[in-house]
Amino acid sequence: MKRFELAEPVTVEEAAALIADGDGVKLLAGGTALLIVIKQGAFTPARLVSTRRIPGLDRIDEAPDGMLRIGASVTHTQAECSPIIRRRYPALAQAIHFVANARIRNMATLAGNLCHAD
């Protein structure tokens, strides 16, 4: 694997500026899907921009309009155990339990798996 830069911004604005370069830049949250793509040689990053240090991206909230908001850094385990998801979307909480194994669910994010169509 080639060397690449790992940026760890602390604001959404900083992350947006870091990914604005385009080619060879990707957001990284859990990394379980993206790192496989990198190891397989399908993508060679110049920079990965981690969302882990950005406050609020690991939250699950009910929006004022009643919609569910799931942050980009929310792991499968967080979603499975979320009181909001268990109450409003119990089938989703149950389904998440069958994704991969506990180690993957503790690291993988819902957003990352959606981005990679996993």
Side-chain angles (χ1 to χ4, degrees), residues 13 43 51 57 84 87 99 107:
E13 294 78 17
F43 174 69
T51 63
L57 293 185
I84 295 169
R87 178 174 38 85
V99 172
M107 188 72 171

Side-chain angles (χ1 to χ4, degrees), residues 7-15 18 49-56:
E8 297 183 288
V10 294
T11 67
V12 170
E13 294 78 17
E14 187 182 353
L18 287 164
V49 179
S50 174
T51 63
R52 289 289 180 180
R53 296 182 61 210
I54 302 174

Side-chain angles (χ1 to χ4, degrees), residues 15-100:
L18 287 164
I19 64 171
D21 294 344
D23 289 346
V25 180
K26 293 265 187 203
L27 286 173
L28 171 71
T32 57
L34 180 58
L35 293 177
I36 290 170
V37 172
I38 292 169
K39 286 181 181 180
Q40 291 174 337
F43 174 69
T44 302
R47 175 189 301 144
L48 296 181
V49 179
S50 174
T51 63
R52 289 289 180 180
R53 296 182 61 210
I54 302 174
L57 293 185
D58 61 347
R59 290 196 336 236
I60 299 170
D61 297 311
E62 290 180 271
D65 62 2
M67 298 299 289
L68 180 66
R69 279 192 270 193
I70 299 175
S73 296
V74 171
T75 66
H76 289 264
T77 299
Q78 286 173 294
E80 178 185 4
C81 297
S82 164
I84 295 169
I85 291 178
R86 285 178 175 255
R87 178 174 38 85
R88 291 191 54 201
Y89 304 97
L92 176 59
Q94 291 170 359
I96 290 170
H97 180 75
F98 295 101
V99 172

